[in-house]
Amino acid sequence: MKFAKIPMATINRLSIYMRTLQDLLDEDVDVISSERLAKQCGVNPAQIRKDLAYFGEFGVRGVGYRVNDLVNQIKEILGLQRPWNLAMIGLGNLGSALIRHANFVKHGYVFTAAFDVDPQKVGKRLPTGLIINHVDELEELIKERDVHVGLITTPASEAQSIANQLVLAGINGILNFAPVQIQVPDCCHVENVDFTIKLDSIAYHLSSGV
Amino acid sequence: MKFAKIPMATINRLSIYMRTLQDLLDEDVDVISSERLAKQCGVNPAQIRKDLAYFGEFGVRGVGYRVNDLVNQIKEILGLQRPWNLAMIGLGNLGSALIRHANFVKHGYVFTAAFDVDPQKVGKRLPTGLIINHVDELEELIKERDVHVGLITTPASEAQSIANQLVLAGINGILNFAPVQIQVPDCCHVENVDFTIKLDSIAYHLSSGV
DNA sequence: TCATTAATGTGAATAATCTCACATTAGCGA
DNA sequence: TCGCTAATGTGAGATTATTCACATTAATGA
């Protein structure tokens, strides 16, 4: 183990390893080699070992990795041994669908606030029991409910303004689903989820590849 | 312009440039320099020029890029000067939200088929007018309606099986929202959209960064 | 106890990607 | 017409990421 800057790609792959390992646990697999895990994750075995080597030695030479242990180690690395509170901003089609989506809960994330500007929506109770608040109350509630990460699912035109408000409210992590590049200070980490970019990439491969 | 392997990262950035340029068009900006565009996209100016250089010379030295022209050039490069037909497989929360989502239409994508296994959903008409079919009819309808790309929004446990069926039906592009790594033959291009991975990455930055 | 085996951990080689720096050139005005 | 300006296009260099290849080592069984 060294002290080195960790590649972003490594962090993303750790999530993938973790999920694959969790599936393996469900199938009662106790131990797995980097080779088998790599095949299942679609990466190179050495890549897995290198990725893990940034953080320590987790395997047993000649044997492999104990699945259960490795899941916990990766959780520890990623900071997932604690709950994280989320706020959804924008409860249109996408926001509403995501907040109901089981995967967030399954991975230890909890929505503790939801915001929209539509007076028709404000005050409504979501299936999770959470009540939608007006965006005007954003800063106050974010602090009050100890929100750590904001998910932006507003129209693109509103995304930057919401991001500014989130930063002012002290948020350091934003998951942005709006198809714009939002600008934030360095203290805030933004990740973008953009399916049209992925679709464009498929279109490119279909039209030029064959 | 050279004949070289185009980095995947370049293709993804082209989508981002295109969208930013389209926004600029709406603001009646005629011409833009790589420097200004770069700032707005959050990349290095030389990166933009390099990316474009893979495909030709699109700028005017001393002036910059004509916004309207460049949008069309990028569309041409990505293969977006024609419509692409999509099929949604899985109409739970996420699938239903995505199929209504305006961005696909805006970028020239059209849903021509939708599938689910739930008998309660089969036969229902979506707001777009599209009728939900049973997955049993997948292969037939995919061919009949000339679907080019399949979007998988089923539970993770079903994703691989659906992918297999899509490949059998002749599909060469899959956008996978299920949180598993699906395996397909080389002829088929898969892109994954996975928000929990992005959230995990934010969690990592929040817990280790500060 | 000790050789054997299998799979890790890792330095070195390779490959991919990004950035710099500047030569080049289109447009513009005198 | 000609020089000046501004921003492109691009080779070379720097950086980052991936893969190889093998020395290392834990477990196992004779």
Side-chain angles (χ1 to χ4, degrees), chain A residues 57-58 68-78 81:
Chain A
E57 306 195 0
F58 305 116
N68 189 52
D69 288 357
L70 191 51
V71 167
N72 286 320
Q73 302 275 17
I74 295 179
K75 277 194 171 181
E76 184 65 39
I77 291 166
L78 294 176
Q81 298 284 34

Side-chain angles (χ1 to χ4, degrees), chain A residues 26 38 51 54 59 61 66 82 101 111 116 120 126 128-129 141 147 149 155 166 184-185 193 198 203:
Chain A
D26 291 343
D51 285 340
Y54 282 111
R61 291 174 195 224
R66 288 202 44 83
R82 48 159 289 181
H101 205 257
F111 283 100
D116 205 294
Q120 298 256 307
L126 292 163
T128 59
L141 286 174
V147 173
V149 181
L166 287 172
V184 294
V193 177
K198 302 284 184 139

Side-chain angles (χ1 to χ4, degrees), chain B residues 7-96:
Chain B
M8 194 59 204
T10 291
I11 300 302
N12 288 321
R13 280 191 298 264
L14 286 179
S15 291
I16 295 175
Y17 304 157
M18 182 179 70
R19 269 212 321 255
T20 304
L21 290 164
Q22 283 169 331
D23 290 347
L24 288 167
L25 261 192
D26 290 343
E27 295 160 26
D28 292 319
V29 178
D30 277 356
V31 172
I32 192 164
S33 66
S34 61
E35 188 167 342
R36 283 227 301 137
L37 181 59
K39 183 169 279 178
Q40 213 163 130
C41 296
V43 301
N44 182 295
Q47 181 82 80
I48 294 186
R49 302 200 295 274
K50 256 284 149 71
D51 285 340
L52 293 172
Y54 283 113
F55 301 99
E57 305 196 0
F58 305 116
V60 183
R61 289 172 197 228
V63 178
Y65 299 90
R66 288 202 45 81
V67 178
N68 190 52
D69 289 357
L70 191 51
V71 168
N72 286 319
Q73 303 275 18
I74 295 180
K75 277 192 173 184
E76 184 65 38
I77 291 167
L78 294 177
L80 299 177
Q81 297 285 32
R82 49 159 289 184
W84 293 96
N85 296 338
L86 312 180
M88 180 70 75
I89 302 97
L91 285 140
N93 290 327
L94 184 62
S96 308

Side-chain angles (χ1 to χ4, degrees), chain B residues 10 31 34 46 97 109 144-145 153 161 166 174 177 182 187 204:
Chain B
T10 291
V31 172
S34 61
Y109 297 100
E144 198 173 300
R145 299 191 189 164
T153 54
S161 148
L166 288 172
I174 293 178
F177 290 81
I182 60 179
C187 61
Y204 169 77

